Amino acid sequence: MKKIMYNVFLNKNLLLTKNLTQKQSFFKDDIFNETFRLWDPKRSKFASAILKKVELPLKRDSNVLYLGASHGYTCSFLSDILTKGCIFCLDFAPHVVRDLVYLCEKRKNMSPLLEDANHPENYKNKISKVNLIFQDIAQRNQVQIFLKNIKTFLNKDDYAILVVKARSIDVTKNPKIIFNDVEIELRKHLKLIDRASLFPYERDHFIFVCQVK
Amino acid sequence: MSFEKLRLKNIEETKQKIRASIKKDILLIQATHSLEELTKSLNQLTEALRKHYELYLPEISKTIQDPQIFIKLISKSKNQLIKEYDIKDTLGIELKEKDLEILKDYINEITTLYRLEDNLTNYIENLTKEIAPNLSKEAQPLLASKLLALAGSLKNLAFMPSSKLQLLGAEKALFRHLKNKKKYKSPKYGIIYNHQLIQTSKEKGKAARHLASKLTIATRKDYFKR
């Protein structure tokens, strides 16, 4: 077993995290054995980014704001890693946040938020200090939302990660053109550290790792 | 404020928000989905029952097409049916008591499911009339409830341009057209095709456009009135 990050291990091809709540399973087939949980890269873009060897600025004491948490699959694994930090999971569809609330009640470092990521001023006072933003939402204006949230929450030298889904920006355009446009837009405001396509795991997805100037 | 306190507060607040988000139109949409699934599976179940029953008395299943009447008929006994329909020489076999029992059980269950379908349809019609009176007057209540289900909520439908409402339910054809405009033509109508105005008119595209604009106005009236 090889250690990749804090609490993250690679066993042959399988990505594992050390379980924060012992022996408890939250999703289908996520229990590997008593101490580890199995992380499926096809369900989680963060996991596929790790396997693609993207440089991810996640430490165990980071405070993360996760935009587009959905059922909380990725969030639950991030909370395994963030043993000294915390994570705020935000989504705006009530029926998926229901699952998220159950998850947050069991994990002490997760906090749910039912808000629209378009309006960061609405949930500004529900969040303590944050130094990393991870965004994975399927909206047309996802880049603008990303920049808006960075402006409200991050300080200089903090990191932000954006997963772009080309199909939700414009189905008719070629994904490569969209990714180029996004990169140009991001470079105007941020320092780009790493970027990669998530190809074998997700189609038409691209990940950008940025640092605030 | 410490993280622990903030977390508990957020959980409490989120729970309240989730509870508050469930309104009447969400209830209606869920009922519509249930009805759709029920109808689909009822058709399959009836089809299976027909095949099962044809081993016993195939003539009835061949003559009667309507599923509800068919179910009602076959709950009678075989001798009765033979007399009623004057069947001389059936191709079916005699079944033993044991085999007949399970068939009867099956028929009873499907009959109750048909009753449930009727009840659900009634419920949906009444609820749609209550939530969107103008829309259900303009379109039939069942069509209105399907439109609401496709849009996601009454608010979404009210904020929709009428051209989008016209194509609700034809997303596949629309995106096929957007990707390759030369090869595929744009669809003219989506689910509103089931409306009798479009069914009866000769210029279907034109009728769909008119109907969609009327439905949009009706929905907006419903949404902003309350």
Side-chain angles (χ1 to χ4, degrees):
Chain A
M1 203 181 283
K2 213 174 88 188
K3 189 176 174 184
I4 306 178
M5 276 159 78
Y6 179 75
N7 265 353
V8 183
F9 302 91
L10 194 67
N11 188 356
K12 285 170 196 165
N13 296 327
L14 303 173
L15 202 61
L16 305 172
T17 58
K18 206 172 183 185
N19 200 344
L20 190 72
T21 50
Q22 275 198 349
K23 288 182 196 174
Q24 272 195 35
S25 157
F26 298 96
F27 296 91
K28 245 186 182 176
D29 326 314
D30 72 335
I31 283 287
F32 181 71
N33 58 22
E34 278 186 8
T35 41
F36 292 105
R37 294 173 69 216
L38 188 62
W39 200 355
D40 184 2
K42 290 205 168 165
R43 282 179 74 184
S44 165
K45 276 144 215 161
F46 201 92
S48 51
I50 292 176
L51 289 180
K52 289 286 272 184
K53 291 178 180 143
V54 180
E55 204 181 307
L56 293 165
L58 187 73
K59 288 170 199 147
R60 62 172 157 172
D61 54 350
S62 307
N63 295 335
V64 183
L65 172 61
Y66 194 109
L67 304 171
S70 184
H71 293 275
Y73 186 74
T74 310
C75 293
S76 73
F77 290 98
L78 290 189
S79 93
D80 276 345
I81 300 171
L82 300 165
T83 43
K84 283 185 179 171
C86 57
I87 175 165
F88 293 90
C89 318
L90 181 140
D91 206 294
F92 84 130
H95 61 278
V96 291
V97 177
R98 204 174 297 146
D99 291 356
L100 198 58
V101 170
Y102 294 136
L103 196 64
C104 294
E105 275 177 340
K106 284 187 183 145
R107 290 181 167 255
K108 289 268 159 73
N109 55 2
M110 288 175 77
S111 161
L113 289 168
L114 179 63
E115 298 282 351
D116 190 350
N118 258 316
H119 306 289
E121 63 277 3
N122 285 356
Y123 52 86
K124 206 175 171 185
N125 51 1
K126 292 172 192 169
I127 287 179
S128 59
K129 229 180 186 182
V130 170
N131 51 23
L132 176 70
I133 288 183
F134 185 89
Q135 179 182 310
D136 171 23
I137 51 180
Q139 289 290 324
R140 209 151 192 204
N141 57 344
Q142 45 184 289
V143 180
Q144 278 72 39
I145 294 175
F146 186 59
L147 292 174
K148 231 188 258 176
N149 276 291
I150 287 176
K151 214 177 178 185
T152 22
F153 294 113
L154 293 190
N155 297 323
K156 207 190 161 210
D157 292 340
D158 287 342
Y159 293 96
I161 303 167
L162 171 69
V163 178
V164 178
K165 189 184 176 194
R167 290 289 171 226
S168 61
I169 291 185
D170 196 336
V171 262
T172 58
K173 267 189 194 164
N174 186 352
K176 276 181 192 168
I177 298 171
I178 294 175
F179 296 140
N180 267 336
D181 289 350
V182 171
E183 197 183 327
I184 291 166
E185 181 70 30
L186 286 179
R187 274 192 197 281
K188 275 183 201 164
H189 306 275
L190 305 160
K191 204 161 88 185
L192 208 61
I193 292 177
D194 203 352
R195 67 194 186 109
S197 113
L198 301 177
F199 170 62
Y201 309 106
E202 296 271 355
R203 262 194 189 172
D204 301 330
H205 280 68
F206 226 81
I207 190 166
F208 293 94
V209 182
C210 316
Q211 192 175 21
V212 183
K213 267 180 194 171
Chain B
M1 210 188 289
S2 73
F3 175 73
E4 189 55 34
K5 263 186 186 173
L6 203 61
R7 173 177 160 265
L8 290 175
K9 200 184 146 205
N10 278 342
I11 287 178
E12 201 49 50
E13 212 166 292
T14 315
K15 276 181 178 173
Q16 273 174 13
K17 266 190 180 173
I18 289 175
R19 271 182 224 123
S21 74
I22 301 165
K23 284 178 191 133
K24 262 188 178 171
D25 50 343
I26 304 288
L27 208 63
L28 172 67
I29 285 162
Q30 212 51 53
T32 314
H33 284 310
S34 306
L35 181 64
E36 225 165 79
E37 287 299 312
L38 187 65
T39 317
K40 216 190 280 173
S41 37
L42 254 181
N43 282 337
Q44 282 175 348
L45 286 175
T46 318
E47 208 53 43
L49 178 66
R50 259 181 204 277
K51 273 183 189 161
H52 199 157
Y53 196 77
E54 272 173 13
L55 305 175
Y56 183 49
L57 191 61
E59 282 76 11
I60 294 290
S61 160
K62 289 284 179 269
T63 44
I64 288 149
Q65 293 301 325
D66 188 84
Q68 293 217 37
I69 299 171
F70 173 69
I71 299 278
K72 245 182 211 168
L73 269 179
I74 62 174
S75 46
K76 291 176 188 169
S77 73
K78 187 175 180 175
N79 289 335
Q80 224 174 340
L81 282 173
I82 286 178
K83 260 183 207 166
E84 238 175 75
Y85 282 82
D86 197 24
I87 301 161
K88 268 155 202 161
D89 191 19
T90 61
L91 283 172
I93 53 159
E94 279 302 322
L95 285 184
K96 279 176 194 165
E97 190 81 343
K98 204 170 63 184
D99 303 318
L100 258 180
E101 225 168 72
I102 201 77
L103 198 59
K104 269 185 185 164
D105 255 9
Y106 194 1
I107 294 168
N108 280 340
E109 287 303 317
I110 292 189
T111 320
T112 46
L113 279 181
Y114 270 111
R115 206 181 304 138
L116 174 65
E117 196 194 13
D118 284 347
N119 287 346
L120 203 55
T121 316
N122 270 336
Y123 168 76
I124 287 174
E125 275 178 7
N126 290 334
L127 200 61
T128 323
K129 276 177 194 162
E130 196 182 312
I131 291 169
N134 291 307
L135 180 65
S136 50
K137 214 177 198 178
E138 209 61 47
Q140 295 103 333
L142 274 184
L143 180 61
S145 74
K146 276 180 191 167
L147 281 172
L148 281 172
L150 281 171
S153 69
L154 186 61
K155 190 188 170 191
N156 285 1
L157 196 63
F159 279 74
M160 214 172 251
S162 92
S163 53
K164 198 171 176 186
L165 191 147
Q166 187 186 339
L167 294 184
L168 271 183
E171 283 82 5
K172 211 177 164 186
L174 174 66
F175 283 111
R176 199 171 52 208
H177 160 70
L178 285 179
K179 272 192 172 175
N180 195 342
K181 286 186 183 171
K182 279 175 195 163
K183 206 171 168 188
Y184 300 103
K185 281 181 182 171
S186 159
K188 296 194 192 76
Y189 25 66
I191 202 167
I192 57 167
Y193 184 73
N194 295 326
H195 197 276
Q196 66 189 145
L197 203 79
I198 297 178
Q199 295 268 330
T200 51
S201 88
K202 276 179 190 168
E203 289 181 309
K204 292 202 161 69
K206 201 173 177 182
R209 211 166 60 234
H210 277 275
L211 180 67
S213 61
K214 291 292 170 210
L215 293 185
T216 324
I217 294 170
T219 323
R220 286 179 190 161
K221 207 172 167 188
D222 287 330
Y223 179 70
F224 290 106
K225 216 171 185 184
R226 41 180 193 178

